[in-house]
Amino acid sequence: MNLTCNSTLEDMRIGSEEKIVGPLTFHQLALIIAGAATIFSYIASFYLMWRHAINYTKPREQRHIIRILFMVPIYATSAFLCIWYYWHAVYFQVISDCYEAFAISSFFALMCHYVAPDLHEQKEFFRHMRPVKPWVWPVTWAAKCCGGDRGPWRTPKSGLTWFNIIWIGIYHYCFIRVAMTITAVVTQYFERYCESSNSPVFAHIWVIAIECIAVTIAMYCLIQFYIQLREPLAEHKPFLKVLAIKLVIFLSFWQTIAISLGTSTLHIVNPSAALAYPDIKIGIPSLMLCVEMALFGILHLWAFPYAPYVENAKTTFYPSPDPSMGIPPHENEHGPKVGGFMGLKAFGDALNIWDVIKAFGRGMRWLFVGVKKRHNDPSYQAKPDDIDTSYPMKPYRPPHPGGKSTDHLPIATEFRRSTFGMPQSSVDPVPEESAGLITNAQPNPASPPRPPNPYLDPRQPQLYDPSPSGVYTHYEDARGDIGVAHTRYEYDPNEVYSSQGGSTAGWSEPQSAPRPQRTSTQVRIGNALWGDRNQHGGAF
């Protein structure tokens, strides 16, 4: 096994190639073009960053915008230095690749702050987010092959779990990128990196493979996040922002990989008298990247404009997690300008990456802590819309893990079949008179309040007078005082039911007059006629 690195870049110095344009070699011409493109990208990017800094009215959003805009000058500078110093290009490449991870995480954080102002409200938004869209290809294909809704690739039922998966899928890339950058620098120092070789005995192929897997996961999660929220965040033009981020990463990473495979492994392109090996390996992809960054500097003017953040700009709103809830959108208010003198404070705020470190720590904690208790979150509980009321009825699955079903009880099954007309099996016909019974079922009716009688005088209660003349006299009987005829009953037309019920509803004895005492004879006769009312808690 060959453990010696092919030190082509160290042995082949630039300067002996043929001239391609007048007195200029490819390396000299590449330096001129790359330098001009880098200066242009600087002007476009720093102008836009400065306008955001002096209009720093929404720091939570603009902090991440400035970080994203820094990607263009950093990539352009790295590519230019790679052309200038061919033999030290690996150090500049890993620095720009390391910043790529922060650009992706900043874009994700920006989208989250478009949803809600802070992490607490973002979690509440995703906890109530409905519906959770299924994963895009190829995870959907993997889910069909690995257990479906019960497999490891299933779509989460909880929007909060979905959000946390996207969170860790993006922020893990920051850690992987930094770790691979340190690995590349250390192994290059000890001559064990060997960028010009794809042999597994050197670190280059392993660093590239790990970075390839990590960036693919991060970009997949970013695309999934965009697909889920592209409609609620339509006013922020998320597609243009995703395109500006994805194309930069795609062109900076995959075109370098393609040229590396074409020169080192497949030998599609070979050195010539006009192009040395360093020109092909480093010069061409770095020159392309410088020109592309100048174009992206222009694209960012439309993708991340500063106009929405100036004073008196158009008001934007935070989206609603579930449109069916009917909750009005919350206004995304502008604050005072806090960018400091010439926006210097805003630049300092954007360069502070402590929030990225905390976000990665939160993702790791969610990944390993509290796994068994996640299903207790309210977002896992069934909502009214989750119950299928179509006909024929399907057995309702209780949301709680400890709930019990009655599907196995014959009596319960027969009751549902006879009451609601459910067929005994899936092939039995559905009775016409019971079709749609549950679908169109209405809640139990309640007795509406009785409207007041318009013919009554609201100032005087209506009295029941048992005497035609209205004169109340005592009924005398020689056998004893059987009853009193002077009792007056008041009628309340707004009273629906009384303790007596029936036709006497609404009639009651006056509360102010004292109730006369009954004799023993009255009690016995009353009990014989109407029963012992005192046994039921009533009053004669």
Side-chain angles (χ1 to χ4, degrees), residues 312-366:
N312 301 323
K314 179 182 177 181
T315 303
T316 59
F317 296 89
Y318 294 113
S320 174
D322 186 1
S324 63
M325 297 173 62
I327 300 178
H330 180 61
E331 182 179 352
N332 187 354
E333 299 178 352
H334 290 76
K337 295 180 180 180
V338 293
F341 175 74
M342 297 296 291
L344 296 179
K345 187 177 180 181
F347 282 102
D349 185 33
L351 295 177
N352 183 8
I353 62 171
W354 178 243
D355 60 312
V356 180
I357 299 174
K358 292 192 299 182
F360 173 74
R362 177 193 175 273
M364 290 294 102
R365 184 180 182 277
W366 175 85

Side-chain angles (χ1 to χ4, degrees), residues 156-337:
K157 297 181 180 179
S158 167
L160 183 59
T161 299
W162 178 91
F163 172 65
N164 287 323
I165 293 174
I166 300 295
W167 181 286
I168 190 60
I170 292 176
Y171 278 107
H172 90 285
Y173 183 50
C174 298
F175 173 79
I176 296 295
R177 261 301 191 184
V178 172
M180 292 300 101
T181 298
I182 297 175
T183 302
V185 171
V186 172
T187 54
Q188 175 69 15
Y189 178 80
F190 289 102
E191 298 181 354
R192 304 306 303 168
Y193 185 72
C194 195
E195 185 183 13
S196 60
S197 174
N198 291 326
S199 174
V201 299
F202 299 106
H204 174 253
I205 186 63
W206 297 107
V207 170
I208 292 297
I210 294 175
E211 287 180 349
C212 179
I213 296 174
V215 72
T216 302
I217 295 175
M219 290 305 300
Y220 179 87
C221 292
L222 202 62
I223 294 173
Q224 183 70 37
F225 190 81
Y226 159 74
I227 292 177
Q228 177 72 41
L229 297 174
R230 60 183 174 183
E231 294 179 0
L233 301 180
E235 64 175 340
H236 299 287
K237 300 179 181 179
F239 175 75
L240 189 59
K241 292 178 171 60
V242 169
L243 187 66
I245 295 291
K246 186 176 180 180
L247 286 181
V248 172
I249 297 173
F250 175 83
L251 295 175
S252 64
F253 183 80
W254 291 107
Q255 72 185 8
T256 303
I257 297 298
I259 294 176
S260 176
L261 293 175
T263 55
S264 302
T265 305
L266 303 178
H267 301 285
I268 298 176
V269 181
N270 297 314
S272 63
L275 292 175
Y277 184 82
D279 294 330
I280 300 174
K281 182 72 175 180
I282 298 177
I284 293 178
S286 298
L287 177 60
M288 294 173 59
L289 196 58
C290 284
V291 176
E292 291 162 357
M293 290 303 106
L295 299 177
F296 280 112
I298 300 175
L299 179 62
H300 285 175
L301 294 174
W302 283 273
F304 302 97
Y306 68 90
Y309 300 98
V310 300
E311 293 181 346
N312 301 323
K314 179 182 177 181
T315 303
T316 59
F317 296 89
Y318 294 113
S320 174
D322 186 1
S324 63
M325 297 173 62
I327 300 178
H330 180 61
E331 182 179 352
N332 187 354
E333 299 178 352
H334 290 76
K337 295 180 180 180

Side-chain angles (χ1 to χ4, degrees), residues 35-51 72-73 76 293-294 297-298 301:
T38 301
I39 294 175
F40 182 84
S41 63
Y42 265 66
I43 296 174
S45 298
F46 277 102
Y47 166 76
L48 185 56
M49 283 188 284
W50 177 70
R51 295 305 298 262
V72 168
M293 290 303 106
I298 300 175
L301 294 174

Side-chain angles (χ1 to χ4, degrees), residues 65-83:
I65 293 178
I66 294 177
R67 291 175 182 174
I68 295 172
L69 297 178
F70 257 117
M71 180 173 57
V72 168
I74 288 178
Y75 269 66
T77 303
S78 173
F80 178 77
L81 293 177
C82 287
I83 299 175

Side-chain angles (χ1 to χ4, degrees), residues 5 14 20 23 34 46 116 128 150 191 208 309 322 359 380 390 392 406 413 417 419 423 456 460 497 501 521:
C5 179
I14 305 301
I20 59 174
F46 277 102
H128 298 92
R150 296 181 178 273
E191 298 181 354
I208 292 297
Y309 300 98
D322 186 1
Y380 278 93
S390 60
T406 59
T413 304
R417 186 193 66 80
T419 304
L456 294 178
Q460 298 292 336
Y497 298 103
T521 304

Side-chain angles (χ1 to χ4, degrees), residues 25 40 61 78 80 82 84 90 96 123 130 132 205 211 230 277 357 364 379 405 409 436 442 461 467 470 515 517 523:
T25 63
F40 182 84
E61 298 177 9
S78 173
F80 178 77
C82 287
W84 192 295
V90 60
S96 62
K123 291 167 64 176
R130 291 175 56 82
V132 178
I205 186 63
E211 287 180 349
R230 60 183 174 183
Y277 184 82
I357 299 174
M364 290 294 102
S379 58
S405 174
L409 300 177
Q442 301 294 326
S467 175
R515 179 177 299 172
Q517 298 296 328
V523 172

